[in-house]
Amino acid sequence: DNGGGFVQMAADVDVDASDFSSVRLLVLGNNETYGCHLKTPDIHRPWQSYRQPFVSPRTWTWVELPIDQFHPHRVDAPFDPARIRRIGLVAIGRPFTVDLAVAMIALA
């Protein structure tokens, strides 16, 4: 009734990713599209983030998310990968069955 709702798993971190080219996720899921949301100290509202979608395949798979392809969502400040403070994996904005397992999150 409300456009699909919102489900998130997140962790507070203190990461300088400026020397890395991607966020790597080892995931297993249901072939649905999810979002990887990063937050920095420039984020002041819950709905703000730097985002990139990914598909979670039905077999354990490394998904590469290039750092330079995270785009701002309702944020005026440019993304600074040296100041990542939170990472979240999100199902949002449409009705579907959420089935996402995460074995590892890394920088590469």
Side-chain angles (χ1 to χ4, degrees), residues 56-78:
S56 183
R58 296 184 190 278
T59 59
W60 284 106
T61 304
W62 281 104
V63 175
E64 297 275 342
L65 303 175
I67 288 177
D68 64 359
Q69 292 183 22
F70 279 87
H71 60 275
H73 179 77
R74 298 184 176 179
V75 181
D76 293 328

Side-chain angles (χ1 to χ4, degrees), residues 33-37 51-55 63-65 69-71:
T33 300
Y34 297 88
C36 181
H37 295 190
R51 300 180 175 189
Q52 188 170 160
F54 68 94
V55 174
V63 175
E64 297 275 342
L65 303 175
Q69 292 183 22
F70 279 87
H71 60 275

Side-chain angles (χ1 to χ4, degrees), residues 14-20 38 40 50 67-68 70 78-85 107:
D14 185 4
V15 174
D16 178 352
S18 57
D19 290 333
F20 296 91
L38 303 179
T40 69
Y50 301 95
I67 288 177
D68 64 359
F70 279 87
F79 177 52
D80 181 359
R83 303 172 67 215
I84 298 172
R85 298 297 176 260
L107 296 170

Side-chain angles (χ1 to χ4, degrees), residues 1-18:
D1 290 344
N2 66 357
F6 177 90
V7 175
Q8 174 179 234
M9 60 178 124
D12 291 327
V13 296
D14 185 4
V15 174
D16 178 352
S18 57

Side-chain angles (χ1 to χ4, degrees), residues 36-52:
C36 181
H37 295 190
L38 303 179
K39 295 192 175 196
T40 69
D42 296 315
I43 303 296
H44 303 290
R45 304 278 189 253
W47 53 83
Q48 295 176 312
S49 62
Y50 301 95
R51 300 180 175 189
Q52 188 170 160

